[in-house]
Amino acid sequence: ASGALAESLGLPRLAVKTDLRTGGVQIENLTEEPCESAEELQRLLDRGSQQRRVASTAMNSQSSRSHLLLTVRIARTSKATGERTHSKITLCDLAGSERLKRSEAVGDTQKEAIE
């Protein structure tokens, strides 16, 4: 969630930093949860959807007001060969990415878009 939105929901603000040792990106207060099945993944997606915030704008009736970053890591072991394969997919939805002038956002919706 954006800073003001996160605070209003009682959630910690996420801070993005670069790890100087590895050069990788670190995000404080981010959660990572293990998942062993498609059903567990669906429950996690449902939980994330419940925390998602949207508002209507002139461009989009369900405009995201909170950021979403979902990374799914999949590890698979071949029963025939024992070979292990790893895959990763990352999905990102940035809140308020519409142009303010065209979206006609006002009030809190406008404030969230520029923070």
Side-chain angles (χ1 to χ4, degrees), residues 73-113:
R73 294 184 185 136
I74 301 168
R76 174 181 104 73
T77 304
S78 168
K79 290 181 181 179
T81 65
E83 181 182 357
R84 205 153 160 83
T85 306
H86 298 271
S87 301
K88 177 172 87 168
I89 184 170
T90 301
L91 306 173
C92 180
D93 178 14
L94 297 177
S97 59
E98 306 96 345
R99 299 240 182 246
L100 275 177
K101 185 176 181 179
R102 291 181 59 203
S103 71
E104 300 175 14
V106 295
D108 287 342
T109 303
Q110 181 183 35
K111 184 177 175 185
E112 292 163 3

mmCIF file of all heavy atoms in Angstrom, residues 73-113:
data_model
loop_
_atom_site.group_PDB
_atom_site.id
_atom_site.type_symbol
_atom_site.label_atom_id
_atom_site.label_comp_id
_atom_site.label_asym_id
_atom_site.label_seq_id
_atom_site.Cartn_x
_atom_site.Cartn_y
_atom_site.Cartn_z
ATOM 1 N N ARG A 73 7.407 -18.568 -6.940
ATOM 2 C CA ARG A 73 8.580 -19.402 -7.240
ATOM 3 C C ARG A 73 8.116 -20.855 -7.259
ATOM 4 O O ARG A 73 7.442 -21.301 -6.332
ATOM 5 C CB ARG A 73 9.653 -19.227 -6.179
ATOM 6 C CG ARG A 73 10.245 -17.859 -6.170
ATOM 7 C CD ARG A 73 11.373 -17.769 -5.164
ATOM 8 N NE ARG A 73 11.826 -16.411 -5.102
ATOM 9 C CZ ARG A 73 12.082 -15.782 -3.977
ATOM 10 N NH1 ARG A 73 11.952 -16.384 -2.828
ATOM 11 N NH2 ARG A 73 12.491 -14.532 -4.012
ATOM 12 N N ILE A 74 8.503 -21.561 -8.290
ATOM 13 C CA ILE A 74 8.081 -22.950 -8.434
ATOM 14 C C ILE A 74 9.324 -23.830 -8.514
ATOM 15 O O ILE A 74 10.234 -23.568 -9.304
ATOM 16 C CB ILE A 74 7.224 -23.139 -9.711
ATOM 17 C CG1 ILE A 74 5.992 -22.242 -9.645
ATOM 18 C CG2 ILE A 74 6.843 -24.607 -9.886
ATOM 19 C CD1 ILE A 74 5.239 -22.120 -10.941
ATOM 20 N N ALA A 75 9.348 -24.857 -7.677
ATOM 21 C CA ALA A 75 10.420 -25.850 -7.721
ATOM 22 C C ALA A 75 9.771 -27.191 -8.050
ATOM 23 O O ALA A 75 8.771 -27.565 -7.462
ATOM 24 C CB ALA A 75 11.143 -25.919 -6.383
ATOM 25 N N ARG A 76 10.343 -27.873 -9.014
ATOM 26 C CA ARG A 76 9.779 -29.142 -9.463
ATOM 27 C C ARG A 76 10.893 -30.173 -9.537
ATOM 28 O O ARG A 76 12.009 -29.871 -9.970
ATOM 29 C CB ARG A 76 9.142 -28.925 -10.833
ATOM 30 C CG ARG A 76 8.639 -30.126 -11.533
ATOM 31 C CD ARG A 76 8.069 -29.748 -12.891
ATOM 32 N NE ARG A 76 8.906 -30.078 -14.009
ATOM 33 C CZ ARG A 76 9.110 -31.297 -14.478
ATOM 34 N NH1 ARG A 76 8.565 -32.324 -13.892
ATOM 35 N NH2 ARG A 76 9.870 -31.509 -15.527
ATOM 36 N N THR A 77 10.581 -31.394 -9.120
ATOM 37 C CA THR A 77 11.536 -32.490 -9.215
ATOM 38 C C THR A 77 10.961 -33.564 -10.121
ATOM 39 O O THR A 77 9.845 -34.043 -9.896
ATOM 40 C CB THR A 77 11.835 -33.087 -7.825
ATOM 41 O OG1 THR A 77 12.294 -32.045 -6.963
ATOM 42 C CG2 THR A 77 12.879 -34.175 -7.907
ATOM 43 N N SER A 78 11.724 -33.942 -11.130
ATOM 44 C CA SER A 78 11.297 -34.986 -12.054
ATOM 45 C C SER A 78 11.343 -36.331 -11.351
ATOM 46 O O SER A 78 12.378 -36.709 -10.785
ATOM 47 C CB SER A 78 12.209 -35.013 -13.287
ATOM 48 O OG SER A 78 11.975 -36.175 -14.050
ATOM 49 N N LYS A 79 10.235 -37.061 -11.383
ATOM 50 C CA LYS A 79 10.205 -38.398 -10.778
ATOM 51 C C LYS A 79 11.099 -39.363 -11.556
ATOM 52 O O LYS A 79 11.693 -40.263 -10.981
ATOM 53 C CB LYS A 79 8.772 -38.931 -10.727
ATOM 54 C CG LYS A 79 7.913 -38.200 -9.733
ATOM 55 C CD LYS A 79 6.520 -38.778 -9.691
ATOM 56 C CE LYS A 79 5.663 -37.999 -8.696
ATOM 57 N NZ LYS A 79 4.298 -38.521 -8.652
ATOM 58 N N ALA A 80 11.211 -39.148 -12.856
ATOM 59 C CA ALA A 80 11.996 -40.058 -13.694
ATOM 60 C C ALA A 80 13.496 -39.879 -13.508
ATOM 61 O O ALA A 80 14.240 -40.860 -13.407
ATOM 62 C CB ALA A 80 11.626 -39.853 -15.160
ATOM 63 N N THR A 81 13.955 -38.613 -13.452
ATOM 64 C CA THR A 81 15.401 -38.364 -13.432
ATOM 65 C C THR A 81 15.906 -37.786 -12.113
ATOM 66 O O THR A 81 17.112 -37.768 -11.867
ATOM 67 C CB THR A 81 15.789 -37.376 -14.546
ATOM 68 O OG1 THR A 81 15.188 -36.107 -14.261
ATOM 69 C CG2 THR A 81 15.335 -37.876 -15.912
ATOM 70 N N GLY A 82 14.988 -37.265 -11.283
ATOM 71 C CA GLY A 82 15.403 -36.614 -10.045
ATOM 72 C C GLY A 82 15.913 -35.202 -10.267
ATOM 73 O O GLY A 82 16.302 -34.510 -9.324
ATOM 74 N N GLU A 83 15.905 -34.753 -11.518
ATOM 75 C CA GLU A 83 16.377 -33.405 -11.839
ATOM 76 C C GLU A 83 15.424 -32.367 -11.258
ATOM 77 O O GLU A 83 14.212 -32.494 -11.334
ATOM 78 C CB GLU A 83 16.467 -33.228 -13.356
ATOM 79 C CG GLU A 83 16.973 -31.870 -13.774
ATOM 80 C CD GLU A 83 17.012 -31.709 -15.295
ATOM 81 O OE1 GLU A 83 16.701 -32.665 -16.016
ATOM 82 O OE2 GLU A 83 17.330 -30.603 -15.731
ATOM 83 N N ARG A 84 16.010 -31.328 -10.673
ATOM 84 C CA ARG A 84 15.230 -30.264 -10.057
ATOM 85 C C ARG A 84 15.229 -29.042 -10.972
ATOM 86 O O ARG A 84 16.284 -28.622 -11.450
ATOM 87 C CB ARG A 84 15.837 -29.916 -8.705
ATOM 88 C CG ARG A 84 14.885 -29.319 -7.757
ATOM 89 C CD ARG A 84 15.331 -29.607 -6.322
ATOM 90 N NE ARG A 84 14.713 -28.670 -5.432
ATOM 91 C CZ ARG A 84 13.488 -28.806 -4.955
ATOM 92 N NH1 ARG A 84 12.781 -29.853 -5.274
ATOM 93 N NH2 ARG A 84 12.984 -27.904 -4.153
ATOM 94 N N THR A 85 14.041 -28.469 -11.200
ATOM 95 C CA THR A 85 13.883 -27.286 -12.041
ATOM 96 C C THR A 85 13.262 -26.176 -11.213
ATOM 97 O O THR A 85 12.345 -26.429 -10.430
ATOM 98 C CB THR A 85 12.958 -27.604 -13.238
ATOM 99 O OG1 THR A 85 13.471 -28.743 -13.925
ATOM 100 C CG2 THR A 85 12.865 -26.434 -14.187
ATOM 101 N N HIS A 86 13.766 -24.948 -11.382
ATOM 102 C CA HIS A 86 13.246 -23.788 -10.659
ATOM 103 C C HIS A 86 12.736 -22.762 -11.658
ATOM 104 O O HIS A 86 13.386 -22.495 -12.662
ATOM 105 C CB HIS A 86 14.335 -23.150 -9.790
ATOM 106 C CG HIS A 86 14.854 -24.052 -8.734
ATOM 107 N ND1 HIS A 86 14.301 -24.130 -7.490
ATOM 108 C CD2 HIS A 86 15.869 -24.947 -8.754
ATOM 109 C CE1 HIS A 86 14.951 -25.020 -6.778
ATOM 110 N NE2 HIS A 86 15.914 -25.539 -7.526
ATOM 111 N N SER A 87 11.582 -22.180 -11.351
ATOM 112 C CA SER A 87 11.007 -21.120 -12.181
ATOM 113 C C SER A 87 10.500 -20.015 -11.274
ATOM 114 O O SER A 87 10.222 -20.240 -10.091
ATOM 115 C CB SER A 87 9.837 -21.657 -13.010
ATOM 116 O OG SER A 87 10.248 -22.706 -13.829
ATOM 117 N N LYS A 88 10.359 -18.826 -11.844
ATOM 118 C CA LYS A 88 9.845 -17.696 -11.078
ATOM 119 C C LYS A 88 9.083 -16.766 -12.003
ATOM 120 O O LYS A 88 9.526 -16.505 -13.121
ATOM 121 C CB LYS A 88 10.996 -16.948 -10.415
ATOM 122 C CG LYS A 88 10.589 -15.705 -9.651
ATOM 123 C CD LYS A 88 11.731 -15.112 -8.859
ATOM 124 C CE LYS A 88 12.544 -14.173 -9.684
ATOM 125 N NZ LYS A 88 13.480 -13.372 -8.888
ATOM 126 N N ILE A 89 7.938 -16.276 -11.531
ATOM 127 C CA ILE A 89 7.186 -15.272 -12.265
ATOM 128 C C ILE A 89 6.815 -14.166 -11.277
ATOM 129 O O ILE A 89 6.440 -14.442 -10.138
ATOM 130 C CB ILE A 89 5.925 -15.848 -12.955
ATOM 131 C CG1 ILE A 89 5.232 -14.764 -13.787
ATOM 132 C CG2 ILE A 89 4.987 -16.481 -11.943
ATOM 133 C CD1 ILE A 89 4.140 -15.299 -14.688
ATOM 134 N N THR A 90 6.967 -12.917 -11.707
ATOM 135 C CA THR A 90 6.626 -11.776 -10.866
ATOM 136 C C THR A 90 5.563 -10.941 -11.569
ATOM 137 O O THR A 90 5.709 -10.615 -12.743
ATOM 138 C CB THR A 90 7.867 -10.911 -10.573
ATOM 139 O OG1 THR A 90 8.841 -11.721 -9.915
ATOM 140 C CG2 THR A 90 7.524 -9.718 -9.701
ATOM 141 N N LEU A 91 4.501 -10.628 -10.835
ATOM 142 C CA LEU A 91 3.423 -9.778 -11.330
ATOM 143 C C LEU A 91 3.434 -8.488 -10.526
ATOM 144 O O LEU A 91 3.612 -8.517 -9.309
ATOM 145 C CB LEU A 91 2.071 -10.479 -11.170
ATOM 146 C CG LEU A 91 1.963 -11.873 -11.784
ATOM 147 C CD1 LEU A 91 0.644 -12.510 -11.401
ATOM 148 C CD2 LEU A 91 2.115 -11.797 -13.282
ATOM 149 N N CYS A 92 3.233 -7.368 -11.184
ATOM 150 C CA CYS A 92 3.286 -6.068 -10.516
ATOM 151 C C CYS A 92 2.119 -5.196 -10.972
ATOM 152 O O CYS A 92 1.874 -5.072 -12.161
ATOM 153 C CB CYS A 92 4.614 -5.398 -10.841
ATOM 154 S SG CYS A 92 4.814 -3.788 -10.081
ATOM 155 N N ASP A 93 1.403 -4.632 -10.017
ATOM 156 C CA ASP A 93 0.326 -3.675 -10.299
ATOM 157 C C ASP A 93 0.650 -2.419 -9.509
ATOM 158 O O ASP A 93 0.629 -2.438 -8.284
ATOM 159 C CB ASP A 93 -1.022 -4.262 -9.869
ATOM 160 C CG ASP A 93 -2.183 -3.302 -10.101
ATOM 161 O OD1 ASP A 93 -2.007 -2.301 -10.812
ATOM 162 O OD2 ASP A 93 -3.264 -3.559 -9.547
ATOM 163 N N LEU A 94 0.976 -1.338 -10.212
ATOM 164 C CA LEU A 94 1.327 -0.093 -9.541
ATOM 165 C C LEU A 94 0.088 0.770 -9.359
ATOM 166 O O LEU A 94 -0.655 1.016 -10.304
ATOM 167 C CB LEU A 94 2.379 0.681 -10.341
ATOM 168 C CG LEU A 94 3.721 -0.030 -10.489
ATOM 169 C CD1 LEU A 94 4.658 0.806 -11.355
ATOM 170 C CD2 LEU A 94 4.335 -0.322 -9.145
ATOM 171 N N ALA A 95 -0.118 1.221 -8.161
ATOM 172 C CA ALA A 95 -1.284 2.040 -7.831
ATOM 173 C C ALA A 95 -1.226 3.375 -8.552
ATOM 174 O O ALA A 95 -0.168 3.982 -8.678
ATOM 175 C CB ALA A 95 -1.347 2.288 -6.328
ATOM 176 N N GLY A 96 -2.395 3.816 -9.019
ATOM 177 C CA GLY A 96 -2.526 5.165 -9.554
ATOM 178 C C GLY A 96 -1.618 5.473 -10.712
ATOM 179 O O GLY A 96 -1.093 6.572 -10.803
ATOM 180 N N SER A 97 -1.413 4.520 -11.615
ATOM 181 C CA SER A 97 -0.495 4.777 -12.718
ATOM 182 C C SER A 97 -1.142 5.567 -13.856
ATOM 183 O O SER A 97 -0.485 5.909 -14.821
ATOM 184 C CB SER A 97 0.084 3.458 -13.244
ATOM 185 O OG SER A 97 -0.946 2.611 -13.673
ATOM 186 N N GLU A 98 -2.443 5.901 -13.734
ATOM 187 C CA GLU A 98 -3.075 6.736 -14.752
ATOM 188 C C GLU A 98 -2.577 8.176 -14.612
ATOM 189 O O GLU A 98 -2.191 8.596 -13.537
ATOM 190 C CB GLU A 98 -4.605 6.757 -14.595
ATOM 191 C CG GLU A 98 -5.273 5.416 -14.556
ATOM 192 C CD GLU A 98 -5.528 4.938 -13.127
ATOM 193 O OE1 GLU A 98 -4.943 5.500 -12.182
ATOM 194 O OE2 GLU A 98 -6.289 3.988 -12.975
ATOM 195 N N ARG A 99 -2.625 8.927 -15.652
ATOM 196 C CA ARG A 99 -2.274 10.339 -15.585
ATOM 197 C C ARG A 99 -3.333 11.073 -14.779
ATOM 198 O O ARG A 99 -4.527 10.919 -15.019
ATOM 199 C CB ARG A 99 -2.191 10.935 -16.984
ATOM 200 C CG ARG A 99 -1.142 10.274 -17.834
ATOM 201 C CD ARG A 99 -0.125 11.319 -18.246
ATOM 202 N NE ARG A 99 0.869 10.718 -19.098
ATOM 203 C CZ ARG A 99 2.137 10.594 -18.750
ATOM 204 N NH1 ARG A 99 2.540 11.002 -17.585
ATOM 205 N NH2 ARG A 99 2.992 10.064 -19.562
ATOM 206 N N LEU A 100 -2.900 11.870 -13.806
ATOM 207 C CA LEU A 100 -3.840 12.573 -12.925
ATOM 208 C C LEU A 100 -4.838 13.423 -13.698
ATOM 209 O O LEU A 100 -6.033 13.408 -13.405
ATOM 210 C CB LEU A 100 -3.087 13.457 -11.936
ATOM 211 C CG LEU A 100 -2.600 12.774 -10.674
ATOM 212 C CD1 LEU A 100 -1.810 13.758 -9.822
ATOM 213 C CD2 LEU A 100 -3.737 12.182 -9.895
ATOM 214 N N LYS A 101 -4.359 14.162 -14.681
ATOM 215 C CA LYS A 101 -5.245 15.047 -15.434
ATOM 216 C C LYS A 101 -6.349 14.254 -16.131
ATOM 217 O O LYS A 101 -7.514 14.626 -16.091
ATOM 218 C CB LYS A 101 -4.443 15.854 -16.448
ATOM 219 C CG LYS A 101 -5.256 16.884 -17.195
ATOM 220 C CD LYS A 101 -4.379 17.717 -18.111
ATOM 221 C CE LYS A 101 -5.206 18.750 -18.836
ATOM 222 N NZ LYS A 101 -4.388 19.577 -19.706
ATOM 223 N N ARG A 102 -5.989 13.149 -16.737
ATOM 224 C CA ARG A 102 -6.971 12.338 -17.471
ATOM 225 C C ARG A 102 -7.857 11.518 -16.546
ATOM 226 O O ARG A 102 -8.997 11.231 -16.859
ATOM 227 C CB ARG A 102 -6.248 11.421 -18.458
ATOM 228 C CG ARG A 102 -5.626 12.226 -19.595
ATOM 229 C CD ARG A 102 -4.916 11.374 -20.604
ATOM 230 N NE ARG A 102 -5.810 10.393 -21.201
ATOM 231 C CZ ARG A 102 -5.407 9.266 -21.760
ATOM 232 N NH1 ARG A 102 -4.126 8.966 -21.790
ATOM 233 N NH2 ARG A 102 -6.270 8.432 -22.291
ATOM 234 N N SER A 103 -7.334 11.114 -15.374
ATOM 235 C CA SER A 103 -8.120 10.278 -14.456
ATOM 236 C C SER A 103 -9.146 11.101 -13.676
ATOM 237 O O SER A 103 -10.105 10.552 -13.151
ATOM 238 C CB SER A 103 -7.206 9.547 -13.473
ATOM 239 O OG SER A 103 -6.657 10.451 -12.532
ATOM 240 N N GLU A 104 -8.904 12.428 -13.585
ATOM 241 C CA GLU A 104 -9.775 13.326 -12.824
ATOM 242 C C GLU A 104 -9.873 12.917 -11.346
ATOM 243 O O GLU A 104 -10.878 13.147 -10.693
ATOM 244 C CB GLU A 104 -11.165 13.413 -13.463
ATOM 245 C CG GLU A 104 -11.131 13.941 -14.880
ATOM 246 C CD GLU A 104 -12.481 13.914 -15.575
ATOM 247 O OE1 GLU A 104 -13.514 13.736 -14.909
ATOM 248 O OE2 GLU A 104 -12.495 14.081 -16.815
ATOM 249 N N ALA A 105 -8.814 12.310 -10.829
ATOM 250 C CA ALA A 105 -8.782 11.905 -9.425
ATOM 251 C C ALA A 105 -8.745 13.144 -8.531
ATOM 252 O O ALA A 105 -8.095 14.133 -8.847
ATOM 253 C CB ALA A 105 -7.552 11.039 -9.155
ATOM 254 N N VAL A 106 -9.473 13.071 -7.409
ATOM 255 C CA VAL A 106 -9.512 14.173 -6.452
ATOM 256 C C VAL A 106 -9.405 13.613 -5.040
ATOM 257 O O VAL A 106 -9.579 12.424 -4.808
ATOM 258 C CB VAL A 106 -10.812 15.011 -6.587
ATOM 259 C CG1 VAL A 106 -10.862 15.708 -7.935
ATOM 260 C CG2 VAL A 106 -12.038 14.146 -6.400
ATOM 261 N N GLY A 107 -9.146 14.489 -4.077
ATOM 262 C CA GLY A 107 -9.123 14.092 -2.670
ATOM 263 C C GLY A 107 -8.077 13.038 -2.367
ATOM 264 O O GLY A 107 -6.941 13.117 -2.843
ATOM 265 N N ASP A 108 -8.464 12.025 -1.563
ATOM 266 C CA ASP A 108 -7.540 10.966 -1.158
ATOM 267 C C ASP A 108 -7.002 10.199 -2.359
ATOM 268 O O ASP A 108 -5.837 9.785 -2.375
ATOM 269 C CB ASP A 108 -8.206 9.991 -0.188
ATOM 270 C CG ASP A 108 -8.399 10.582 1.190
ATOM 271 O OD1 ASP A 108 -7.726 11.593 1.518
ATOM 272 O OD2 ASP A 108 -9.213 10.052 1.958
ATOM 273 N N THR A 109 -7.840 9.987 -3.348
ATOM 274 C CA THR A 109 -7.404 9.247 -4.546
ATOM 275 C C THR A 109 -6.292 9.999 -5.263
ATOM 276 O O THR A 109 -5.303 9.411 -5.689
ATOM 277 C CB THR A 109 -8.593 9.007 -5.501
ATOM 278 O OG1 THR A 109 -9.615 8.313 -4.795
ATOM 279 C CG2 THR A 109 -8.187 8.206 -6.720
ATOM 280 N N GLN A 110 -6.400 11.316 -5.340
ATOM 281 C CA GLN A 110 -5.358 12.129 -5.961
ATOM 282 C C GLN A 110 -4.096 12.099 -5.096
ATOM 283 O O GLN A 110 -2.984 11.944 -5.596
ATOM 284 C CB GLN A 110 -5.833 13.558 -6.144
ATOM 285 C CG GLN A 110 -4.790 14.441 -6.804
ATOM 286 C CD GLN A 110 -5.272 15.881 -6.915
ATOM 287 O OE1 GLN A 110 -5.982 16.380 -6.049
ATOM 288 N NE2 GLN A 110 -4.893 16.550 -7.994
ATOM 289 N N LYS A 111 -4.257 12.216 -3.799
ATOM 290 C CA LYS A 111 -3.120 12.225 -2.879
ATOM 291 C C LYS A 111 -2.357 10.894 -2.965
ATOM 292 O O LYS A 111 -1.137 10.881 -3.001
ATOM 293 C CB LYS A 111 -3.616 12.447 -1.454
ATOM 294 C CG LYS A 111 -2.520 12.570 -0.430
ATOM 295 C CD LYS A 111 -3.111 12.849 0.934
ATOM 296 C CE LYS A 111 -2.021 12.849 1.984
ATOM 297 N NZ LYS A 111 -2.564 12.990 3.333
ATOM 298 N N GLU A 112 -3.073 9.769 -3.025
ATOM 299 C CA GLU A 112 -2.417 8.457 -3.120
ATOM 300 C C GLU A 112 -1.617 8.342 -4.413
ATOM 301 O O GLU A 112 -0.563 7.738 -4.437
ATOM 302 C CB GLU A 112 -3.465 7.340 -3.080
ATOM 303 C CG GLU A 112 -4.155 7.208 -1.745
ATOM 304 C CD GLU A 112 -5.448 6.415 -1.839
ATOM 305 O OE1 GLU A 112 -5.791 5.918 -2.921
ATOM 306 O OE2 GLU A 112 -6.109 6.307 -0.805
ATOM 307 N N ALA A 113 -2.131 8.938 -5.490
ATOM 308 C CA ALA A 113 -1.469 8.820 -6.790
ATOM 309 C C ALA A 113 -0.154 9.570 -6.840
ATOM 310 O O ALA A 113 0.755 9.190 -7.584
ATOM 311 C CB ALA A 113 -2.397 9.321 -7.888
#
